[in-house]
């Protein structure tokens, strides 16, 4: 079935309201006055879309991934005079609201009105605004509502729920408004969206603003159920629903129940059922949330949206920020008009309250609150490290001990370890314990409190972990660090791309134990500097670019002697090879040029894809971690400018 939807009215009054004089004149010139663009949308489950568009805009549009067809015709209330003039200059004679409804094809609604003795009531007084369902809407309504419409007691009230005792033209209504109806004080909720869709109780207005003698008529595609609206607030609805007791307790624990009773702001609340929460969250995690104010509040806030969101307003992927910090809820739809939230299908069984809309859902928008570090590791798929934790007998450490940060190697990193080393870890609990403990810091490290050079004590006494930051890339012990946003109730888990090892060799031992660095050692001795005793080499927050003997020898004997006989110049050269911070190469992005301050001057480090260079010197061996810093081996001297 093809449903035709009015897109844009070019009547003078419409343009005057929106000040779109240039658009109107252009349209009058091309199509004539009072011409509207109509979008035809293939019906799926009845969720038809309405979108305003300019008649001169003939681009292909889509609704939930499906193409729509655009055509042009006279706007509602106008007709062509066939006098040779373009456009629609004939004004139809206005009729009463029920006759107008019949012209729109709402015959079943009018029949119900006549059967229940309301015809004269709706035609001889006013003004009224009718939200009239299509005949198809009545044919597809649920059996309970259908049975109620066959009752002489309830039918009149249901029909009156579709009527507002005043004149409502949608472009004069606010984006979120409630209207009193003729049904015992019950209300309808009206909303406008950036997609140009307008809804009443989350039902799309298919045809709107049809002016009648005694009011206005809007055509909708669903029969409105007065029992879906209540004058109670959101908290009262949740508290009185026996399927939502867990979320109700979270609201109480979070101390948010009072604010959710306020009516000055309309909200969307997506409430997981008790069954959903019991299936999704382990009992221990659920208990932690229910017994902790901050965890309950964090969970509740992620299920609150600061504006009414209707399924029928979703025509493409839509991200709505929740009341929680940095948390967004994704709404989506597919080609058969099935609406999803975070990938889960939702129905149209909504509750409308005095201060918002309530969805009852069978999933949760977050499962992070109250999770332990061990649960986070399992969620991230870090099974190899979890296995070693179990071997080490440290399961309870990551379930109960507070304020820890675990830097967990990927499964691939652990599997790529030396075979014998991995065998000892997996067969000896004390070895496994040492391995795990060096990957854990004794404080919470997040993207908000990390800085370059930060040091944190590991769980091994006397062993510290050094953190690095280059632009927005992070590292620990010279290895690349992938920050994770979820924070467990007892700590944080971040992922590293390699296994961390406590350094066991200092720079002096590294240099003296390798004949390739004899000239570097000679230069240091000439200046009276030794890595073990000198202030320059004290501490562990250094990067050394150590040149090989080949780098020195390329200068030739004459130049080499000249340098070694000039201590001040030699000192500047050596200072150009040391940086008072740790600079792992994995934190340098490809093709970027980084200016780095050495002890002498600024040098430039470039990641060229297959090699790293410092000025013109190539780094031939990277990221050797020592007790007093990180070492890179270079094949040229880095001369002062």
């Amino acid at each position: 079935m093809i449903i035709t939807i009015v897109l844009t009215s070019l009547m003078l009054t419409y343009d005057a309201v929106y000040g779109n004089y240039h658009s109107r004149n252009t349209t009058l010139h091309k199509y004539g006055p009072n011409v509207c663009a109509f979008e035809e949308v293939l019906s799926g489950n009845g969720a038809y879309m309405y979108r305003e568009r300019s008649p001169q805009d003939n681009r292909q549009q889509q609704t939930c991934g499906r193409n729509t067809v655009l055509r042009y015709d006279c706007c509602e209330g106008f007709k062509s005079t066939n006098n040779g003039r373009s456009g629609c200059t004939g004004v139809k004679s206005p009729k009463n609201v029920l006759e107008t409804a019949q012209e729109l094809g709402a015959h079943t609604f009018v029949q119900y009105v006549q059967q229940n003795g309301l015809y004269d009531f709706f035609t001889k007084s006013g003004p009224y605004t009718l939200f009239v369902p299509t005949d198809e809407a009545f044919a597809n309504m649920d059996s309970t509502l259908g049975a109620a419409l066959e009752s002489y007691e309830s039918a009149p009230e249901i029909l009156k729920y579709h009527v507002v005792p005043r004149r409502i033209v949608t472009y004069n209504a606010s984006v979120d408004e409630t209207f009193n109806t003729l049904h015992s004080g019950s209300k309808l909720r009206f909303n406008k969206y950036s997609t140009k869709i307008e809804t009443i109780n989350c039902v799309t207005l298919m045809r709107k603003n049809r002016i009648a003698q005694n009011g206005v008529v809007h055509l909708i595609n669903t029969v409105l159920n007065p029992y879906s609206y209540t004058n109670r607030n959101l908290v009262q609805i949740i508290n009185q629903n026996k399927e939502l007791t867990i979320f109700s307790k979270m609201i109480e624990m979070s101390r948010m129940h009072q604010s959710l009773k306020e009516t000055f702001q309309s909200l969307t609340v997506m409430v997981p059922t008790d069954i959903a929460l019991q299936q999704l969250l382990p009992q221990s995690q659920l208990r932690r949330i229910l017994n902790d104010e901050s965890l309950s509040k964090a969970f509740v806030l992620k299920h609150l949206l600061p504006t009414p969101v209707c399924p029928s307003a979703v025509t493409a992927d839509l991200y709505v920020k929740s009341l929680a910090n940095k948390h967004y809820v994704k709404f989506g739809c597919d080609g058969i008009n099935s609406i999803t939230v975070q990938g889960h299908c939702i129905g149209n069984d909504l509750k409308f309250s005095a201060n918002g809309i309530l969805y009852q859902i069978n999933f949760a928008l977050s499962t992070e609150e109250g999770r332990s570090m061990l649960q986070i590791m399992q969620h991230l798929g870090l099974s190899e490290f979890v296995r070693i934790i179990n071997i080490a007998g440290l399961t309870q450490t990551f379930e109960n001990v507070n304020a820890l940060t675990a830097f967990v190697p990927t499964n691939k990193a652990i599997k790529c370890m030396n075979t014998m080393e991995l065998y000892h870890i997996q067969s000896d609990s004390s070895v496994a314990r040492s391995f795990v403990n060096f990957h854990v810091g004794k404080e919470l490290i997040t993207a908000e409190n990390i800085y370059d050079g930060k040091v944190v004590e590991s769980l091994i006494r006397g062993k510290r972990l050094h953190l690095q930051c280059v632009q927005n890339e992070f590292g620990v012990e010279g290895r690349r660090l992938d920050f994770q946003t979820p924070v467990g109730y007892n700590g944080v888990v971040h992922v590293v791309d390699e296994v961390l090892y406590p350094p066991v060799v200092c720079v002096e031992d590294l240099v003296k134990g390798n004949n390739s660095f004899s000239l570097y050692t000679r230069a240091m001795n000439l200046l009276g500097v030794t890595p073990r005793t000198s202030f320059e080499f004290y501490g562990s927050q250094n990067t050394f670019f150590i040149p090989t003997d080949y780098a020195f020898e390329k200068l030739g004997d004459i130049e080499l002697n000249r340098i070694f006989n000039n201590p001040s110049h030699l000192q500047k050269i050596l200072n150009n090879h040391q940086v008072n911070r740790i600079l792992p190469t994995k934190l340098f992005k490809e093709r970027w040029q980084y200016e780095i301050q050495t002890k002498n001057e600024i040098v430039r480090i470039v990641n060229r894809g297959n090699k790293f260079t410092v000025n013109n010197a190539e780094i031939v061996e990277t990221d050797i971690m020592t007790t007093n810093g990180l070492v890179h081996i270079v094949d040229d001297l880095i001369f002062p400018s």
Side-chain angles (χ1 to χ4, degrees):
M1 178 181 179
I2 298 293
I3 297 299
T4 303
I5 299 174
V6 183
L7 293 182
T8 303
S9 170
L10 297 176
M11 299 191 312
L12 178 60
T13 53
Y14 183 97
D15 286 331
V17 169
Y18 287 92
N20 194 6
Y21 300 110
H22 174 73
S23 174
R24 180 175 66 85
N25 291 335
T26 301
T27 306
L28 287 172
H29 175 74
K30 186 174 182 179
Y31 297 101
N34 306 314
V35 174
C36 283
F38 291 81
E39 193 172 24
E40 292 182 339
V41 183
L42 182 65
S43 65
N45 63 354
Y48 312 128
M49 303 300 170
Y50 176 101
R51 187 161 33 214
E52 296 187 19
R53 279 169 58 189
S54 170
Q56 62 263 37
D57 180 5
N58 58 4
R59 294 172 296 176
Q60 180 71 65
Q61 296 285 342
Q62 287 193 335
T63 293
C64 291
R66 306 178 74 179
N67 290 336
T68 60
V69 178
L70 192 66
R71 68 178 180 82
Y72 307 99
D73 205 344
C74 293
C75 297
E76 303 287 4
F78 292 89
K79 65 181 181 179
S80 174
T81 57
N82 295 319
N83 59 0
R85 298 179 61 186
S86 61
C88 303
T89 56
V91 180
K92 292 181 180 180
S93 174
K95 300 179 180 180
N96 64 52
V97 289
L98 293 182
E99 292 171 331
T100 304
Q102 284 184 310
E103 280 193 348
L104 291 173
H107 305 290
T108 305
F109 179 85
V110 176
Q111 289 174 6
Y112 274 114
V113 168
Q114 291 172 331
Q115 291 172 10
N116 288 275
L118 296 174
Y119 191 88
D120 288 345
F121 180 81
F122 287 146
T123 57
K124 296 183 187 267
S125 60
Y128 297 120
T129 296
L130 272 60
F131 297 94
V132 292
T134 62
D135 292 349
E136 184 181 10
F138 280 101
N140 293 331
M141 66 181 166
D142 67 73
S143 57
T144 303
L145 195 59
L149 275 170
E150 298 304 322
S151 166
Y152 286 107
E153 293 182 358
S154 57
E157 295 304 310
I158 295 174
L159 297 172
K160 289 179 180 179
Y161 187 61
H162 292 74
V163 183
V164 176
R166 64 186 177 95
R167 190 175 185 274
I168 298 171
V169 182
T170 61
Y171 50 74
N172 290 331
S174 63
V175 296
D176 177 42
E177 191 171 347
T178 57
F179 304 138
N180 289 317
T181 70
L182 293 178
H183 175 269
S184 305
S186 294
K187 296 182 179 182
L188 293 169
R189 179 171 291 280
F190 174 80
N191 292 104
K192 293 181 181 180
Y193 296 92
S194 60
T195 53
K196 304 301 183 183
I197 290 173
E198 296 174 349
T199 64
I200 195 76
N201 277 17
C202 284
V203 174
T204 305
L205 303 189
M206 299 168 58
R207 296 283 187 91
K208 56 186 178 181
N209 303 325
R210 181 67 185 268
I211 307 301
Q213 278 181 334
N214 63 329
V216 183
V217 178
H218 308 281
L219 188 69
I220 58 178
N221 60 1
T222 301
V223 180
L224 300 177
N225 188 346
Y227 309 110
S228 66
Y229 180 86
T230 173
N231 287 318
R232 295 173 295 169
N233 60 55
L234 290 167
V235 172
Q236 290 172 324
I237 295 176
I238 295 169
N239 288 345
Q240 294 173 15
N241 191 324
K242 294 181 180 180
E243 297 179 350
L244 308 178
T245 61
I246 296 177
F247 195 81
S248 175
K249 290 176 183 177
M250 290 181 183
I251 292 176
E252 184 177 358
M253 173 56 69
S254 67
R255 302 179 186 274
M256 295 182 62
H257 50 283
Q258 191 59 44
S259 60
L260 288 177
K261 293 178 181 178
E262 301 294 342
T263 58
F264 63 86
Q265 180 182 11
S266 298
L267 303 172
T268 296
V269 185
M270 314 203 73
V271 186
T273 63
D274 293 350
I275 293 176
L277 291 175
Q278 289 165 347
Q279 291 176 342
L280 288 169
L281 303 178
Q283 288 187 0
S284 58
Q285 183 180 355
L286 198 52
R287 279 197 304 270
R288 284 192 287 266
I289 297 174
L290 289 171
N291 292 323
D292 187 286
E293 180 181 341
S294 62
L295 293 178
S296 290
K297 184 174 183 178
F299 187 88
V300 170
L301 286 174
K302 289 183 179 179
H303 291 77
L304 302 181
L305 309 181
T307 184
V309 180
C310 292
S312 56
V314 180
T315 61
D317 285 352
L318 172 70
Y319 291 86
V320 181
K321 189 180 185 305
S322 73
L323 292 184
N325 186 34
K326 299 179 181 178
H327 180 259
Y328 290 83
V329 178
K330 179 184 177 182
F331 288 78
C333 63
D334 58 27
I336 58 172
N337 295 325
S338 176
I339 305 302
T340 62
V341 175
Q342 306 290 66
H344 300 272
C345 288
I346 58 170
N348 290 315
D349 185 18
L350 311 179
K351 296 295 182 184
F352 302 94
S353 78
N355 61 334
I357 302 173
L358 185 143
Y359 290 76
Q360 185 170 314
I361 57 178
N362 59 1
F363 55 93
L365 301 183
S366 174
T367 57
E368 297 173 1
E369 289 69 33
R371 282 197 306 200
S372 67
M373 296 175 69
L374 194 64
Q375 286 178 300
I376 294 176
M377 293 178 204
Q378 293 166 337
H379 176 74
L380 294 174
L382 302 169
S383 56
E384 292 297 321
F385 194 78
V386 171
R387 181 184 174 194
I388 297 174
I389 288 174
N390 292 331
I391 294 170
L394 294 173
T395 302
Q396 291 305 310
T397 298
F398 296 100
E399 281 287 353
N400 300 317
V401 179
N402 290 323
L404 299 177
T405 297
F407 302 99
V408 182
T410 62
N411 291 340
K412 180 181 178 181
I414 292 177
K415 289 178 179 178
C416 289
M417 292 174 63
N418 177 275
T419 304
M420 287 304 299
E421 183 183 10
L422 187 56
Y423 170 78
H424 286 304
I425 291 173
Q426 294 175 343
S427 59
D428 189 324
S429 61
S430 63
V431 177
R433 192 174 299 112
S434 296
F435 176 85
V436 171
N437 285 343
F438 188 67
H439 288 79
V440 181
K442 290 184 179 180
E443 63 178 275
L444 292 177
I445 305 296
T446 67
E448 283 75 28
N449 67 5
I450 190 175
Y451 58 87
D452 188 45
K454 185 177 179 68
V455 178
V456 57
E457 292 290 333
S458 76
L459 292 184
I460 298 179
R461 180 174 297 179
K463 298 293 184 181
R464 301 188 299 175
L465 295 166
H466 304 85
L467 298 163
Q468 298 85 48
C469 177
V470 178
Q471 290 295 97
N472 284 321
E473 300 296 320
F474 304 100
V476 56
E477 291 297 299
R479 307 303 179 227
R480 192 176 184 282
L481 177 61
D482 182 14
F483 263 106
Q484 302 294 316
T485 53
V487 178
Y489 84 98
N490 62 333
V492 189
V493 176
H494 302 304
V495 181
V496 288
D497 60 355
E498 293 183 50
V499 171
L500 305 182
Y501 295 99
V504 295
V505 63
C506 67
V507 175
E508 181 188 31
D509 292 338
L510 177 70
V511 171
K512 285 187 174 181
N514 192 322
N515 292 331
S516 298
F517 306 122
S518 60
L519 290 176
Y520 180 78
T521 303
R522 176 186 167 192
M524 300 300 292
N525 290 336
L526 281 173
L527 297 174
V529 176
T530 62
R532 191 181 297 278
T533 61
S534 171
F535 175 77
E536 287 94 331
F537 286 79
Y538 180 75
S540 54
Q541 301 280 22
N542 300 289
T543 295
F544 304 97
F545 300 101
I546 298 183
T548 61
D549 286 355
Y550 175 69
F552 282 95
E553 291 166 353
K554 283 196 294 187
L555 299 175
D557 291 341
I558 296 175
E559 181 64 17
L560 198 57
N561 287 331
R562 188 183 71 82
I563 291 174
F564 274 89
N565 289 324
N566 188 339
S568 63
H569 185 50
L570 180 60
Q571 182 71 67
K572 287 183 179 180
I573 294 174
L574 294 183
N575 285 346
N576 234 30
H577 290 73
Q578 182 179 346
V579 179
N580 291 331
R581 54 188 291 209
I582 295 177
L583 297 170
T585 57
K586 291 196 173 184
L587 305 191
F588 292 95
K589 291 188 176 181
E590 189 171 338
R591 305 300 172 187
W592 286 28
Q593 184 180 97
Y594 296 81
E595 293 186 348
I596 302 297
Q597 179 65 55
T598 69
K599 291 187 65 180
N600 180 63
E601 65 182 14
I602 290 178
V603 297
R604 289 167 179 80
I605 298 179
V606 181
N607 176 356
R608 302 186 183 277
N610 59 347
K611 66 179 180 179
F612 291 86
T613 59
V614 186
N615 288 354
N616 294 322
E618 181 179 346
I619 301 177
V620 294
E621 189 172 353
T622 65
D623 303 311
I624 304 168
M625 200 68 189
T626 70
T627 57
N628 51 338
L630 192 67
V631 172
H632 304 299
I633 310 300
V634 293
D635 67 350
D636 278 295
L637 292 180
I638 306 170
F639 284 102
S641 58

